[in-house]
Amino acid sequence: MSRILAISDIHGHVEGVKLLLQKAGYQPQTDKLFFVGDYIDKDPRTWKSLDYIRERVQQGAKAIIGNLEMWYLETIHEKGSSYRQEIGEWLQTLPTYLTDEDYIFVHAGMRPHIPISEQTREDLLTIRKDFWGAEQTLPQKIIFGHTPTHVMGAKEGEIWCQPGRIGIDTGAKHHIRLTLVDLTNRCAYSCSTEKQRLYQDTRLSSW
């Protein structure tokens, strides 16, 4: 059975992504995997994450651009090697949102009451409380990252669920947790990103 999986705000934690995909039994031939932006940080040690994401996309996964990939495009990739140029050209091909069946995948969210096709790139990549703090009704459920879920009121390290919206940035950047959601089966695989327990304390939860 094909599943719809999603993960966002990796911020360089590729080994955590590999672990969670293994725990979920990811099958690239049948499962649909969506990467929802912010694969890197401004720390150059995280930039190799882009290679991993690109490889997964070549194998059938889908990815959108996040605000940190846009930062990379605007400040880094023009300065230097052909490798950076190649990565930059690939990043430029990534869309700001994707849709699939009952879902819209977007990095940060959407400005309320504006069709997805009319949203600005800035809002799609950077909006925060104007999106998750407002009510809106859409025919599709919005899957987003960017704002750590505990900031929105979820328990630390757990996803944020509201009618029509699911926030999946569980704070990997902030040494909390990295989470892969299985939207088909309404469950989530996560691991710690605390320095002392890095990629340990794996959990399977449902909502």
Side-chain angles (χ1 to χ4, degrees):
M1 176 181 175
S2 176
R3 299 174 296 171
I4 299 177
L5 310 174
I7 190 167
S8 78
D9 295 84
I10 292 164
H11 295 290
H13 289 289
V14 164
E15 293 307 312
V17 177
K18 292 177 181 178
L19 172 65
L20 296 180
L21 289 174
Q22 181 184 35
K23 291 288 184 181
Y26 170 56
Q27 298 292 330
Q29 297 82 9
T30 55
D31 293 326
K32 296 179 180 180
L33 174 60
F34 291 84
F35 291 103
V36 193
D38 276 10
Y39 316 118
I40 62 171
D41 266 338
K42 294 184 178 180
D43 183 342
R45 291 175 295 182
T46 68
W47 297 349
K48 282 290 186 180
S49 300
L50 297 174
D51 289 328
Y52 177 78
I53 301 301
R54 183 168 59 162
E55 289 169 4
R56 299 289 76 72
V57 170
Q58 290 169 345
Q59 293 177 2
K62 295 185 181 298
I64 60 175
I65 196 164
N67 59 291
L68 281 165
E69 286 76 56
M70 190 59 66
W71 166 83
Y72 183 94
L73 275 175
E74 293 171 348
T75 62
I76 301 299
H77 97 278
E78 297 286 358
K79 305 173 183 177
S81 68
S82 58
Y83 162 76
R84 286 185 181 172
Q85 190 69 32
E86 182 182 349
I87 287 292
E89 290 173 356
W90 173 70
L91 287 176
Q92 288 173 333
T93 70
L94 298 184
T96 52
Y97 70 91
L98 287 165
T99 61
D100 187 272
E101 297 182 13
D102 298 326
Y103 302 102
I104 297 172
F105 298 89
V106 60
H107 178 61
M110 296 167 52
R111 192 155 295 279
H113 315 301
I114 298 175
I116 184 71
S117 60
E118 298 176 19
Q119 299 278 332
T120 68
R121 184 177 69 180
E122 180 179 4
D123 279 340
L124 294 173
L125 299 187
T126 67
I127 196 169
R128 292 193 190 270
K129 195 171 184 179
D130 286 348
F131 162 66
W132 55 261
E135 293 186 6
Q136 60 179 315
T137 302
L138 291 168
Q140 293 165 295
K141 185 167 289 188
I142 304 169
I143 311 301
F144 70 101
H146 187 59
T147 300
T149 54
H150 68 272
V151 173
M152 301 183 288
K155 185 177 179 181
E156 194 170 81
E158 296 185 0
I159 64 172
W160 179 88
C161 290
Q162 293 291 325
R165 293 169 290 181
I166 301 179
I168 63 173
D169 174 5
T170 51
K173 177 179 180 177
H174 304 286
H175 313 296
I176 303 176
R177 298 189 74 77
L178 178 68
T179 297
L180 170 75
V181 295
D182 176 345
L183 297 167
T184 304
N185 295 304
R186 295 174 61 88
C187 63
Y189 301 83
S190 68
C191 64
S192 173
T193 56
E194 291 180 39
K195 292 181 179 179
Q196 297 84 356
R197 300 190 301 161
L198 192 61
Y199 313 138
Q200 300 176 25
D201 184 26
T202 57
R203 301 175 189 172
L204 172 60
S205 58
S206 58
W207 73 91

